[in-house]
Structures are given as structure tokens and as C-alpha cells.
């Protein structure tokens, strides 16, 4: 296993119970996406964490950050933002990634923690801005750019009758 940017050697830390390390790591994590948004390819995630040796394991507390891009669910314009996800996880020998993460060869790999935190918080249905007005269901105009003059949507069956009744409708 090659040491990625998120691998932290903790042999020294584990010999010093009660000591705390502050670590800031950046790196690309592949395939961070959900149905509504994704971390852009090549964009780095960040982990700003404190590590502390606890009961044979290592506790990791801090914040995972990542930029995301997506499509506004109301107006279909590009939407983007930055996630800051609080994390508090335990690495233990024999950890399987369910209750605790694995602590192998005195190394803590923060990458699976970063991946899980980001995937949990990526917006499924993002908005381009707070209070986006969306598109007009009648003419498709972007209502963030002004009113289009359409009246409230009518039942399509009545719309047909309206067209037939128009004096110039032939
Ligand atoms: Zn929008
Ligand atoms: Zn309209």
C-alpha cells in the first residue's frame, strides 16, 4: 500500500497517551458524487483534524472540507458551494470501516473518513441561491431574472378551450 496524502503515521503518538496532534491534509479523493452534486474531478478535499491516542486506538476529531458543483433543482442553473463536515471517529486495530476505521501498521488513513463524510453531506437537490424562484412552468423563463407575464398555470384541458374561444382563432 502506497502512502497517500491522507495517511498519518501514529507510532509515536500511540506511545504518548494523552498527547494530541494537529494534522492538516489535502488530497484528491476520486468519485465523490451523488445524484444532485459532485466534487469536481481533480479538486482537493481537506481534513483538519486532531489525533489522540485512546485505549489502544486513535481518535480523530475535526473538520472535512470539500467544494461541490451541481445543478439547481429549481432553475437548472449551475449551483456550487463548499462543505464543512464535522467528524469524530475512532481508528482501532481490527477496525472494519463500520463502527471504527482500521488502524494498520501504526498508520491512520484519513481518506475513507473523508470519503464517508463528504458523501454523507453532498446536497442531493441543491439550490443555486437561497430562495431561487425557479423557472416559469408555462414559458420556461427564469423567474430570478424578472416576471414573464404568464398567468398562473391553468389546467391544460381548459387551455385548449380558451384557444378555441379566441376570436381570431379561426
Ligand atoms: Zn436556481
Ligand atoms: Zn412564463
Amino acid at each position: 500500500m502506497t502512502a497517500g496524502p491522507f495517511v498519518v503515521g501514529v507510532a509515536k503518538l500511540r506511545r504518548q497517551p494523552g498527547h494530541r496532534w494537529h494534522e492538516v491534509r489535502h488530497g484528491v479523493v476520486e468519485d465523490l458524487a451523488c445524484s444532485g452534486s459532485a466534487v469536481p474531478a481533480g479538486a482537493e478535499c481537506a481534513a483538519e483534524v486532531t489525533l489522540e491516542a485512546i485505549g489502544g486506538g486513535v481518535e480523530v476529531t475535526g473538520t472535512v472540507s470539500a467544494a461541490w458543483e451541481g445543478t439547481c433543482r429549481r432553475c437548472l442553473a449551475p449551483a456550487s458551494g463548499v462543505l464543512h463536515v464535522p467528524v469524530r471517529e475512532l481508528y482501532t486495530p481490527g477496525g472494519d470501516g463500520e463502527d471504527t476505521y482500521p488502524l494498520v501498521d501504526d498508520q491512520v488513513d484519513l481518506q475513507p473518513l473523508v470519503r464517508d463524510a463528504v458523501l454523507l453531506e453532498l446536497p442531493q437537490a441543491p439550490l443555486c441561491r437561497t430562495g431561487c424562484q425557479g423557472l416559469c412552468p408555462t414559458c420556461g423563463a427564469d423567474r430570478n431574472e424578472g416576471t414573464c407575464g404568464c398567468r398562473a398555470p391553468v389546467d391544460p384541458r381548459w387551455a385548449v378551450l380558451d384557444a378555441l374561444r379566441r376570436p381570431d382563432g379561426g
Side-chain angles (χ1 to χ4, degrees):
M1 180 176 127
T2 52
F6 289 108
V7 174
V8 183
V10 293
K12 199 173 158 196
L13 177 73
R14 296 179 78 198
R15 290 197 297 269
Q16 299 173 310
H19 278 241
R20 289 176 179 197
W21 280 357
H22 193 63
E23 289 282 341
V24 180
R25 298 296 180 99
H26 298 86
V28 173
V29 180
E30 304 286 336
D31 301 325
L32 292 176
C34 72
S35 58
S37 60
V39 176
E44 292 196 330
C45 301
E48 272 195 74
V49 294
T50 300
L51 292 85
E52 182 176 356
I54 287 178
V58 172
E59 187 183 60
V60 176
T61 315
T63 307
V64 167
S65 305
W68 60 267
E69 291 177 350
T71 302
C72 177
R73 70 171 183 258
R74 288 186 194 154
C75 75
L76 308 181
S80 61
V82 179
L83 297 176
H84 297 284
V85 189
V87 292
R88 183 189 183 95
E89 299 292 345
L90 200 58
Y91 283 71
T92 58
D96 60 3
E98 294 289 328
D99 294 330
T100 65
Y101 291 94
L103 174 53
V104 182
D105 296 336
D106 277 326
Q107 287 187 333
V108 160
D109 186 357
L110 298 173
Q111 178 162 317
L113 180 154
V114 170
R115 167 179 293 281
D116 292 348
V118 171
L119 286 178
L120 205 64
E121 293 295 323
L122 275 175
Q124 301 278 353
L127 287 177
C128 63
R129 73 196 87 179
T130 314
C132 170
Q133 299 297 306
L135 302 179
C136 171
T138 304
C139 73
D142 185 345
R143 291 193 290 204
N144 296 305
E145 291 170 3
T147 51
C148 54
C150 292
R151 283 180 292 171
V154 293
D155 187 306
R157 287 168 296 178
W158 297 115
V160 170
L161 290 179
D162 283 349
L164 291 175
R165 281 192 198 124
R166 267 194 319 210
D168 58 350

